Amino acid sequence: MRFGTRELLDIAVAWAALSVAFALFFGGGGRTILYRPGVLVGLLPASLVTAGLGFLLHEMAHKVTAIRFGQVAEFRADYGMLFLAVAGALAGFLFAAPGAVYHQGRATLRENGLIALAGPLTNVALGMVFFPLELLLGGTLGSVAALGVRINFLLAGFNMIPFGPLDGNTVKTWSIPAFLGFGLPCFALAAWAFFGLSFV
């Protein structure tokens, strides 16, 4: 798997911007900077690991799956959306659409659906990896793991929304049963992560 210079730059910028956006969002938005800057400073390293890893593995899952289906695939950042992510987090809401893996080549509807599905499912898997760490670890590491659970479940649910260029729309176009079968659990996990709901 190869990476071009521009692709690596776009990945680095998207990683940094998303990490700042998630740190601001979980830290309370713009008021964090004004009244509690220490919260942002404390959350940013954890966000770099959790949001950064979630973003990177999500996009790499798209890329690996596309390449497996014989596609040429590269990530391109959307700088306007990255600005919106940071600005929105300052205002207290989160819209995480950092860019996309663009792929070229002959692909069936099913293959395109599977390429799209690979990203959200990777976030679910990563959230499941962080979950036992949250339960078992205490202190700072446990807090980082908790952030990893919530960020990855939110990313999975958001990306499965059947709208515009989001993964859910591609999956729904391919197969309604696949969209419902994978999308509904992603939405439920995202709701739990966002609202702190309990299913027991």
Side-chain angles (χ1 to χ4, degrees):
M1 189 165 55
R2 297 180 179 179
F3 296 89
T5 302
R6 180 183 171 185
E7 184 177 21
L8 291 173
L9 176 62
D10 279 6
I11 288 172
V13 172
W15 189 326
L18 274 186
S19 298
V20 170
F22 273 100
L24 285 169
F25 177 74
F26 282 106
R31 293 183 179 181
T32 301
I33 294 178
L34 293 176
Y35 303 113
R36 301 172 63 199
V39 172
L40 179 62
V41 172
L43 281 173
L44 188 55
S47 185
L48 282 165
V49 173
T50 56
L53 190 60
F55 150 72
L56 179 63
L57 293 183
H58 176 106
E59 298 301 339
M60 290 306 98
H62 288 317
K63 180 165 180 158
V64 167
T65 307
I67 291 173
R68 183 163 186 170
F69 287 134
Q71 306 285 295
V72 176
E74 283 197 0
F75 174 78
R76 287 291 179 264
D78 186 325
Y79 287 84
M81 287 298 178
L82 288 173
F83 174 80
L84 180 61
V86 175
L90 283 168
F93 68 91
L94 192 60
F95 185 81
V101 169
Y102 293 93
H103 50 94
Q104 295 179 333
R106 300 180 66 179
T108 65
L109 201 61
R110 174 180 176 273
E111 288 171 345
N112 280 327
L114 291 173
I115 291 168
L117 192 58
L121 292 187
T122 297
N123 288 124
V124 170
L126 190 55
M128 293 297 185
V129 169
F130 277 117
F131 187 69
L133 297 178
E134 177 186 359
L135 298 177
L136 296 173
L137 300 175
T140 301
L141 291 178
S143 297
V144 170
L147 191 63
V149 172
R150 282 148 185 79
I151 284 177
N152 279 282
F153 287 169
L154 286 171
L155 286 173
F158 173 78
N159 279 283
M160 283 301 292
I161 294 173
F163 176 79
L166 295 175
D167 297 325
N169 205 24
T170 304
V171 175
K172 184 181 176 184
T173 300
W174 159 49
S175 169
I176 297 291
F179 170 74
L180 294 174
F182 292 105
L184 293 179
C186 286
F187 297 143
L189 290 170
W192 174 82
F194 189 80
F195 296 107
L197 298 178
S198 174
F199 300 110
V200 294

